[in-house]
Amino acid sequence: MKIRVNKNILWFVLFFFFVSLLSIYCTISFTSNSLGNLFLKQFIWYIVGFITIFIVVKIGNKNIFRYSIFFYLIGNFLLLLLLFFGTSINNSKCWFILPGGISIQPSEFMKIFIMLVLSKIIVNFRKENDYSLRNEFKFIIFSFLVVLIPAILTFLQPDTGSVIIYFVIYFMMLFFSGISLKWFLYLGFMFIFIIGIFVGIYFFNESLLISIFGTSFYYRIERFFMWKNGIGMQLENSLSAIGSSGLFGHGFNKTPIYFPESSTDFIFAVYASNFGFVAVCIFLLVLVGFDFYILKLMKEISIVENKMILSGILGMLLFQQIQNIGMTIGLLPITGITLPFISYGGSSLISYMFIIGMVINIASFRRI
C-alpha cells in the first residue's frame, strides 16, 4: 500500500533543521577544536536523520511494534555494556566511541524502545477489559519494572537526565492507559516521599549520600540548590546573553558571552542572544504548533498502539522543551537535558527523526 506522507510534519522538521544549524554555527567560536566542526557534523546527522525517516516510513509501524521486545532487550544489553566498555566523558560512561570518532548514546534510543514496549503492554492490558483494582495494580507494577531496569542501568552511567525522561514517558503513557486516576495520587505521594529521603540525606549526612550514589549524583543535587539560590556561571551568563539581546538580537554569529555546553544544553540561549525576542516568539509558536499537531493526531486515531506511542512522544517532547528552555532562563534547575531537534547530538537527533518517521506513518493512516 502506498503511504500518503503528511507534509505538515516535514515543514516543522525543516524549520528545526535551519534553527539548529544557525544556532550551532553561532557556537563555533566557543567550541573546543577537539570536538571538530559541530555545524558540519550536525548537518551530516540531519541528512542521516532524513534517511532514517525514509527507512521507518518504508518499514511501517506494524513491523516496528512486532519487534519491540527485541529492541528493548538489545537496548538494555547496550546500556549494560556501557558500564564496562563505555568511554568516560565528563565522568559519565554514556557513549560508545566508534572508529572515526563517531559516538553512540544508547540511552537516547532506549526512550523509543520503552515507548514501544509500554504500548504493547498497555494494548494487552486493555484487551483484558478488566479494570479491577487488583488487575490495575499488577499492570502498574509490571510496567514500572519494565522502565526501572533501563533506568537503573542509565543511572549508573550516570545519566540522570535520561532517567527522568524515561519516567516522564512512563507516567504520560500510564495517564492515557485507562487506569483509575487515584493511582496517580498514590504515585505522587511515593515520588514526594522518595525525593524527601534524598534531600534529607543530602542535608544531614552528605557522606552517606556520596558513598551510596557517588559524587556525580551528589553534585547534581547540589546544582539544584545552586539554581534555587541563583548561583552558577552557566545560568548567570545565559541570563546576561538573553537579557541583552533586545528585539532582534546581537546579530548572526555574535554570541556576546561564553557559557559551557553552548551547543547542547544552552543552545536556546545562543539562539535567543543572536536573533532576539522576535525570533524567540516565532520559534516558540512553531514549537507549540508542533506539539498541538501531535496532540490533534492523538485525538483523531483509534488504534491503541499508535495512540499510546504518541502520548509517550508528546510527554517526552513537552518535558524536554519546557525543562531546557526553563533552565536557560532560570525558571528550572540545570539538568543537562537538551532541546529536541535543536541541540547538537547525533544519537538524540537520529532518535527524534526515528520518531518523526513513526508519526508520519500514524498520520498516513489516521482514520484506520
Side-chain angles (χ1 to χ4, degrees), residues 24 27-42 45 89-90 95 97 100-103 258-264 344-345:
I24 288 173
T27 70
I28 289 177
S29 59
F30 296 123
T31 305
S32 171
N33 292 330
S34 63
L35 298 176
N37 190 327
L38 297 188
F39 171 82
L40 180 60
K41 286 183 176 181
Q42 186 77 343
W45 283 123
I89 301 175
N90 295 330
W95 300 268
I97 305 298
I102 298 172
S103 60
Y258 167 77
F259 35 83
E261 312 300 337
S262 57
S263 61
T264 51
Y344 173 77

Side-chain angles (χ1 to χ4, degrees), residues 167-361:
F167 283 105
V168 167
I169 292 169
Y170 173 62
F171 288 120
M172 189 70 165
M173 296 182 72
L174 208 61
F175 182 79
F176 288 99
S177 67
I179 64 170
S180 174
L181 293 179
K182 64 184 177 184
W183 288 109
F184 291 93
L185 186 63
Y186 302 149
L187 290 169
F189 280 127
M190 185 178 71
F191 177 75
I192 292 170
F193 177 72
I194 293 170
I195 293 298
I197 290 174
F198 282 127
V199 173
I201 296 174
Y202 171 80
F203 279 113
F204 297 107
N205 198 334
E206 293 181 356
S207 59
L208 177 63
L209 186 69
I210 293 171
S211 64
I212 296 174
F213 298 104
T215 54
S216 181
F217 183 71
Y218 170 79
Y219 287 133
R220 279 164 170 75
I221 295 180
E222 190 175 54
R223 189 161 62 173
F224 170 81
F225 288 104
M226 285 175 65
W227 158 77
K228 188 174 178 295
N229 296 321
I231 304 169
M233 185 264 282
Q234 272 184 311
L235 178 58
E236 291 171 0
N237 288 10
S238 174
L239 291 174
S240 297
I242 295 172
S244 63
S245 61
L247 282 176
F248 302 105
H250 294 280
F252 175 64
N253 201 22
K254 293 182 179 177
T255 307
I257 194 169
Y258 167 77
F259 35 83
E261 312 300 337
S262 57
S263 61
T264 51
D265 301 0
F266 281 81
I267 195 69
F268 179 77
V270 174
Y271 173 78
S273 64
N274 280 266
F275 305 108
F277 179 75
V278 173
V280 165
C281 288
I282 294 171
F283 175 72
L284 293 178
L285 283 172
V286 174
L287 214 57
V288 170
F290 178 63
D291 295 336
F292 268 102
Y293 175 84
I294 295 175
L295 181 61
K296 180 173 177 288
L297 197 57
M298 234 179 99
K299 291 182 177 180
E300 292 176 353
I301 61 173
S302 57
I303 298 175
V304 177
E305 273 181 325
N306 286 337
K307 192 181 286 287
M308 290 302 102
I309 204 78
L310 285 176
S311 69
I313 291 169
L314 185 62
M316 179 186 73
L317 292 177
L318 276 172
F319 174 74
Q320 288 193 244
Q321 291 160 3
I322 293 170
Q323 172 59 42
N324 180 272
I325 294 172
M327 75 181 189
T328 61
I329 58 177
L331 294 179
L332 293 170
I334 297 171
T335 57
I337 289 173
T338 55
L339 187 57
F341 298 101
I342 310 300
S343 296
Y344 173 77
S347 296
S348 61
L349 184 57
I350 299 304
S351 69
Y352 299 136
M353 298 298 253
F354 188 100
I355 284 169
I356 292 296
M358 295 192 73
V359 172
I360 289 173
N361 288 336

